Amino acid sequence: FYQLPAGVLWSALFFFLLMVASLTSTISMSELCVAFFTEQLGMTRRKAVVVNTVVAMSLGTLCALSFGPLSGLTLSGLTIFGLFDYLSSNILLPLGGMAISLFVGWRVSRTVIDVQLGKLPRWLKNMIVLSLRFIAPVGIGAVFVSGLGLW
């Protein structure tokens, strides 16, 4: 009877759990698109899931192929994967953070903020709102400009 080394067992368990974690994350991220398709476009949930899955798998396949057969296909020196990586990390993430910061700082009522921040002292809640309104947008803007290579 052959006994597996402990490292093989632990690494197999690690990668299995990594797969489960990625699957649950994918499902939760897909839910945003599915909710939009069903609520705004009037699709059935089943059709929305199929459309979302087809689009995600198509884009994912293009990204994966950019390491092999499509590696010669570039735009401004970036492969498809590189372009998606650049757009998501240097443009979409900072813009999303800026939008959230400005929305919470300027549009969300103080009552909601007080409830969400719980039993923090009033001065700390005021500092958080001040940061969301003025400090965070400046910092995020600097990250955005830096990511674009303009600074």
Side-chain angles (χ1 to χ4, degrees):
F1 180 70
Y2 178 73
Q3 188 174 8
L4 286 175
V8 172
L9 179 65
W10 285 110
S11 63
L13 181 63
F14 170 78
F15 284 109
F16 173 75
L17 293 174
L18 185 66
M19 180 190 72
V20 170
S22 68
L23 182 62
T24 58
S25 297
T26 301
I27 291 169
S28 68
M29 288 188 298
S30 296
E31 185 57 34
L32 290 169
C33 295
V34 170
F36 174 79
F37 290 153
T38 56
E39 294 172 10
Q40 300 297 320
L41 303 179
M43 288 184 184
T44 63
R45 184 165 178 80
R46 180 176 297 252
K47 184 177 180 181
V49 168
V50 168
V51 167
N52 183 60
T53 302
V54 167
V55 169
M57 289 183 75
S58 299
L59 294 175
T61 301
L62 285 174
C63 286
L65 289 174
S66 72
F67 289 104
L70 297 180
S71 61
L73 181 63
T74 61
L75 181 65
S76 297
L78 297 172
T79 63
I80 298 169
F81 178 84
L83 180 65
F84 281 20
D85 178 50
Y86 177 81
L87 288 175
S88 63
S89 61
N90 293 343
I91 295 175
L92 297 176
L93 281 173
L95 287 180
M98 178 80 75
I100 291 169
S101 175
L102 292 173
F103 178 76
V104 173
W106 292 98
R107 288 289 192 205
V108 174
S109 73
R110 285 304 295 253
T111 306
V112 172
I113 292 172
D114 286 341
V115 169
Q116 292 300 314
L117 294 179
K119 296 182 180 183
L120 292 177
R122 169 66 51 201
W123 68 268
L124 187 54
K125 291 178 183 180
N126 290 337
M127 290 300 297
I128 291 171
V129 171
L130 179 76
S131 295
L132 288 170
R133 287 182 176 180
F134 301 107
I135 299 168
V138 171
I140 294 169
V143 168
F144 180 70
V145 171
S146 173
L148 293 177
L150 302 175
W151 189 14

